[in-house]
Amino acid sequence: MTTMNELGRGSLSKMAVRLGETAQYAFRLDEQEVPVNPLLGKRVRLEFLGAIHCSHCGRKTKKSFSQGYCYPCFTKLAQCDSCIVSPEKCHFDAGTCREPEWGERYCMTDHVVYLANSSGVKVGITRASQIPTRWLDQGASQALPIFRVATRQQSGLVEDLLRTQVADKTNWRALLKGDAVPLDLPAIRDQLLESCAEGIAALQQRFGLQAIQPVGDADVLEIRYPVEAYPTKVASHDLEKTPVVEGILRGIKGQYLILDTGVINLRKYTAYQVAVLTE
């Protein structure tokens, strides 16, 4: 049996990631960060230690809700409300936001509507402060901002309009089977603006021209990921069913580790107590 050395243990969060010649990743275990890129080609083991602690309040929970929360926090926190997934359904103006101060800080702020190419073109939204992290987390190989919008709800309404023409989801299996075919995102943007011009004008009339501004001068961001080999068949590991996951690390893309034994989405296991080991 191969002797393994422990690199760290603690409550798992989504990997830290930053731009570089290739995307640079680090495991986050409580306050500790462990670089992942140097582990490429090495045997890596993840051990689920059997406990989950809510990422908000810290209480032990048998099940994780909304990627890392206990059930009480899931039912009371604004960041777990359904409008986070469907921002066009924001109810802040109705006075029913779960946490108005949180809403002011995270929702009533500039957002960007963008096009990304991960498994094909898709439209998405993110806070302006989350660029380029959002694209890296999704495994996008190309990204292009197309609108700057005053609030999260308004960005959701723009996205809702544009997704009548393009997808708003990533095909994660296709993402992990290879590099996306390069696309002409500016040309796709121009086609979208033309086909959705009436709807965009209606939203600008409703919220004001300054609230929904096209971004016409942005460059396409090209992103490369540290992947030595893609799997021919995508099989997914599950820490709940198999608490020890081990294999040779072949790549990192989005929030996925690509092992020779299968892939694992680390974001899914936010708040799980995990140990990371390597040869």
Side-chain angles (χ1 to χ4, degrees):
M1 185 174 177
T2 305
T3 301
M4 304 289 275
N5 299 310
E6 186 172 301
L7 297 177
R9 64 172 55 206
S11 184
L12 188 67
S13 300
K14 74 182 182 75
M15 288 182 285
V17 60
R18 60 180 174 81
L19 282 175
E21 185 176 339
T22 59
Q24 298 294 306
Y25 286 92
F27 293 120
R28 293 195 296 162
L29 301 160
D30 292 322
E31 302 303 314
Q32 182 185 9
E33 290 198 358
V34 178
V36 186
N37 294 55
L39 302 178
L40 281 169
K42 297 182 179 180
R43 181 168 295 278
V44 174
R45 181 190 297 165
L46 299 177
E47 296 181 358
F48 173 39
L49 303 176
I52 306 169
H53 291 277
C54 175
S55 57
H56 181 75
C57 72
R59 74 158 57 90
K60 193 171 181 178
T61 176
K62 290 183 179 180
K63 183 180 177 182
S64 167
F65 296 86
S66 192
Q67 295 181 345
Y69 299 93
C70 64
Y71 188 72
C73 285
F74 171 68
T75 58
K76 74 180 183 182
L77 295 177
Q79 58 213 19
C80 297
D81 205 346
S82 60
C83 51
I84 296 302
V85 177
S86 303
E88 70 277 8
K89 298 177 182 177
C90 172
H91 46 96
F92 186 93
D93 288 345
T96 53
C97 181
R98 292 178 177 182
E99 297 175 277
E101 287 186 6
W102 189 93
E104 285 280 4
R105 189 161 63 251
Y106 290 99
C107 302
M108 302 298 140
T109 185
D110 279 4
H111 278 64
V112 169
V113 181
Y114 62 84
L115 293 177
N117 178 17
S118 48
S119 58
V121 67
K122 62 156 285 190
V123 62
I125 68 171
T126 189
R127 294 196 310 276
S129 61
Q130 289 300 297
I131 289 175
T133 304
R134 177 66 171 161
W135 301 332
L136 291 158
D137 283 345
Q138 289 181 338
S141 56
Q142 296 174 289
L144 177 69
I146 58 174
F147 282 98
R148 195 169 185 102
V149 184
T151 71
R152 182 173 177 83
Q153 181 199 34
Q154 292 164 18
S155 69
L157 291 168
V158 174
E159 180 189 39
D160 200 36
L161 178 66
L162 299 182
R163 68 185 173 196
T164 62
Q165 309 292 316
V166 296
D168 65 339
K169 297 286 191 297
T170 295
N171 180 331
W172 67 273
R173 290 185 182 278
L175 173 76
L176 298 173
K177 279 189 173 180
D179 295 324
V181 176
L183 298 172
D184 187 343
L185 294 185
I188 296 171
R189 172 200 61 199
D190 294 346
Q191 292 168 3
L192 278 174
L193 294 184
E194 183 178 345
S195 60
C196 297
E198 190 174 325
I200 295 297
L203 289 173
Q204 288 174 323
Q205 185 173 10
R206 176 179 171 187
F207 296 108
L209 278 173
Q210 294 303 311
I212 300 171
Q213 283 287 309
V215 178
D217 57 353
D219 294 324
V220 175
L221 179 64
E222 308 275 350
I223 304 172
R224 294 177 61 230
Y225 293 90
V227 179
E228 293 180 344
Y230 285 104
T232 53
K233 182 180 180 182
V234 178
S236 187
H237 286 297
D238 186 339
L239 280 178
E240 290 278 5
K241 295 178 180 177
T242 309
V244 177
V245 168
E246 186 173 325
I248 305 298
L249 183 62
R250 296 300 188 200
I252 320 151
K253 192 174 186 183
Q255 285 291 322
Y256 286 88
L257 298 184
I258 301 171
L259 305 170
D260 65 344
T261 56
V263 304
I264 183 166
N265 178 2
L266 292 192
R267 189 167 195 161
K268 180 180 178 181
Y269 300 103
T270 298
Y272 284 56
Q273 298 293 310
V274 169
V276 178
L277 302 92
T278 190
E279 293 175 318

